[in-house]
Amino acid sequence: MIFSMVLFRFQQLTGSNRYLIIIFLGGAMAVLSKITLYLAAPQPNFLTSISSTVCFSGMSHLFLYENVSGRKVKLWIIVLHLLPMTLSILIFINALGTLYQPTDETWWLIISKTFRPYVLLFYFFLDVWCLWKYKNTLSNLKGQINGGLLAYFVFHKVLLIGLLIFPKHLLPHESLNLYLGLLSMPTILAVIVYFKVILVSNRKNQELEDSIAILLEKETALNDNSSTVTYNSCKYQKSNLDDDKYHILASRIKIYVQQEKPYLDMDFTAAQLAESLEVSQHDLSIAINQYLDSTFYEYINGLRIQYFLSQIDRVITGEMTILVLAYTSGFSSKSTFNKYFKLLVGSSPSAYIDQHVKEQQANSLLLD
């Protein structure tokens, strides 16, 4: 629960971060269920407790999918992937019921013993399939925080498969296997906090220190070049410092959107960008208007068009339709996509693609 509070404090619940919160809550429920069984049952069977592994498997897959595909998962799909977790909760409730009304039925024991490894294997292969399908976009995650977290998630699933499916071969002592299993969720939570809180804070602090250092250097230079200080000169110096401040902020905006690609989220807003950069929306608006010569939505939709153009071969090869790639690029409607495409490119998407194909064919003939 402490981990959950830390993540709530430092992270927005938008985008793929919402899956991390569900993983935290699933882990907390799993720990509480084990404590309940330990205190209430004379011979507790921890396989009937709520499974943090099941919750982690499904939600980490959705986290991976959104990051590698650039698409936002709909609510009903999230609910569908929470069904194994729901089954785990029902098994736990049934186990509590048998404490007061003993029964000879063992069907729920069989399910509790077998469904965790099957769910884990299912999502592991689903992860592998997802990585293979979107292998062309994996380079975008290189050097990003989410990229490192995704790599750990896949690695951790491999470890869990070893613990749950091959315990007799890897760990001859069953008690050791149990203790390592109990350490699984705290390890996952600690890694999430490291990537999403510590690393994020370190990057923001470094960017802030660099910005302050540049401002101090320019302020010192202005002071050294000033022989007299009058009201007008102070006013002019303040104006220069403000210009430097917004110029640096504009550079930070460009670096952030290039690295994190937040514009691929259809619901991305100026408020989210301001919060990520830890600046006010007023300062953000000034930096974009004056130094990027655009409004927020014009700038973001321009980036979406650039991303669309960079992925246009996926339309040509038939992997995606124009509309699907437009949604993948962050557009929420066909009309908005067509409007900005024609405004920035000068033609309709279909006409541009036809011309692009003709140019590729012509270049191929020249090379032949």
Side-chain angles (χ1 to χ4, degrees):
M1 296 303 294
I2 293 174
F3 280 138
S4 299
M5 293 172 63
V6 170
L7 204 64
F8 269 113
R9 168 65 180 84
F10 286 93
Q11 290 293 326
Q12 303 174 51
L13 299 183
T14 57
S16 58
N17 286 336
R18 63 192 187 279
Y19 301 118
L20 304 181
I21 294 295
I22 298 176
I23 291 174
F24 275 89
L25 296 178
M29 292 173 62
V31 171
L32 291 175
S33 69
K34 288 177 173 60
I35 293 175
T36 302
L37 287 175
Y38 178 78
L39 296 176
Q43 293 181 341
N45 183 356
F46 290 113
L47 289 177
T48 61
S49 65
I50 297 174
S51 174
S52 58
T53 298
V54 168
C55 181
F56 163 71
S57 299
M59 294 304 102
S60 63
H61 169 71
L62 294 181
F63 181 79
L64 181 147
Y65 174 80
E66 284 200 1
N67 278 278
V68 300
S69 70
R71 301 178 184 179
K72 187 174 182 180
V73 174
K74 295 181 180 179
L75 179 60
W76 70 268
I77 296 179
I78 299 176
V79 173
L80 182 65
H81 285 274
L82 282 172
L83 288 179
M85 182 66 175
T86 304
L87 176 59
S88 181
I89 294 173
L90 293 176
I91 291 173
F92 171 66
I93 294 174
N94 186 81
L96 290 181
T98 58
L99 295 177
Y100 303 98
Q101 294 181 352
T103 176
D104 294 332
E105 295 181 359
T106 58
W107 60 269
W108 53 277
L109 289 173
I110 297 173
I111 293 176
S112 65
K113 186 176 181 180
T114 58
F115 96 106
R116 299 182 193 211
Y118 285 122
V119 169
L120 180 60
L121 274 175
F122 171 77
Y123 279 111
F124 173 73
F125 287 117
L126 210 57
D127 287 352
V128 173
W129 171 82
C130 190
L131 291 171
W132 177 83
K133 181 178 180 181
Y134 298 102
K135 57 182 178 294
N136 294 330
T137 63
L138 293 180
S139 58
N140 297 334
L141 294 171
K142 187 177 181 180
Q144 293 189 25
I145 288 175
N146 281 354
L149 190 55
L150 287 173
Y152 175 78
F153 281 168
V154 175
F155 171 73
H156 196 92
K157 283 181 182 177
V158 174
L159 292 180
L160 287 176
I161 289 172
L163 290 175
L164 290 177
I165 299 178
F166 308 110
K168 292 181 179 179
H169 301 285
L170 298 179
L171 297 169
H173 300 289
E174 187 176 350
S175 59
L176 182 59
N177 179 60
L178 174 63
Y179 292 135
L180 289 176
L182 292 175
L183 284 173
S184 173
M185 185 49 61
T187 303
I188 292 171
L189 303 186
V191 170
I192 292 175
V193 168
Y194 171 73
F195 277 99
K196 302 299 288 186
V197 177
I198 298 175
L199 284 187
V200 169
S201 298
N202 288 344
R203 287 193 179 185
K204 289 181 179 179
N205 290 337
Q206 186 60 49
E207 289 177 359
L208 183 61
E209 289 175 3
D210 293 342
S211 300
I212 293 174
I214 293 173
L215 286 174
L216 289 175
E217 288 178 3
K218 293 190 175 183
E219 185 179 8
T220 302
L222 287 171
N223 288 332
D224 292 341
N225 292 332
S226 300
S227 56
T228 59
V229 179
T230 63
Y231 174 78
N232 289 333
S233 65
C234 290
K235 192 174 181 180
Y236 175 73
Q237 183 177 353
K238 184 177 183 299
S239 175
N240 282 339
L241 288 173
D242 287 340
D243 289 342
D244 292 338
K245 168 187 171 182
Y246 292 121
H247 180 72
I248 292 170
L249 178 55
S251 299
R252 289 181 61 203
I253 292 170
K254 289 193 289 186
I255 292 171
Y256 176 77
V257 297
Q258 288 172 2
Q259 291 181 343
E260 302 296 332
K261 294 182 172 52
Y263 51 83
L264 297 179
D265 184 350
M266 295 180 184
D267 300 324
F268 184 61
T269 64
Q272 292 174 355
L273 179 58
E275 186 172 348
S276 297
L277 297 175
E278 295 184 338
V279 298
S280 67
Q281 290 192 55
H282 175 72
D283 286 346
L284 182 77
S285 178
I286 292 176
I288 293 177
N289 291 337
Q290 293 186 5
Y291 292 92
L292 299 179
D293 194 25
S294 181
T295 65
F296 171 78
Y297 285 105
E298 288 174 350
Y299 178 62
I300 292 301
N301 285 326
L303 292 171
R304 288 167 174 163
I305 293 297
Q306 290 178 19
Y307 181 83
F308 179 91
L309 294 175
S310 70
Q311 303 293 319
I312 203 168
D313 286 340
R314 302 172 74 177
V315 176
I316 296 173
T317 58
E319 180 183 346
M320 287 184 174
T321 64
I322 292 177
L323 188 57
V324 169
L325 183 55
Y327 289 145
T328 302
S329 302
F331 286 98
S332 58
S333 70
K334 181 180 178 181
S335 58
T336 303
F337 166 68
N338 287 332
K339 170 188 172 182
Y340 278 96
F341 192 94
K342 193 166 186 180
L343 180 67
L344 297 173
V345 179
S347 64
S348 67
S350 56
Y352 177 85
I353 290 174
D354 290 341
Q355 182 62 31
H356 187 70
V357 170
K358 290 178 181 178
E359 290 176 357
Q360 284 186 334
Q361 291 174 347
N363 292 334
S364 178
L365 289 173
L366 289 175
L367 290 174
D368 291 343

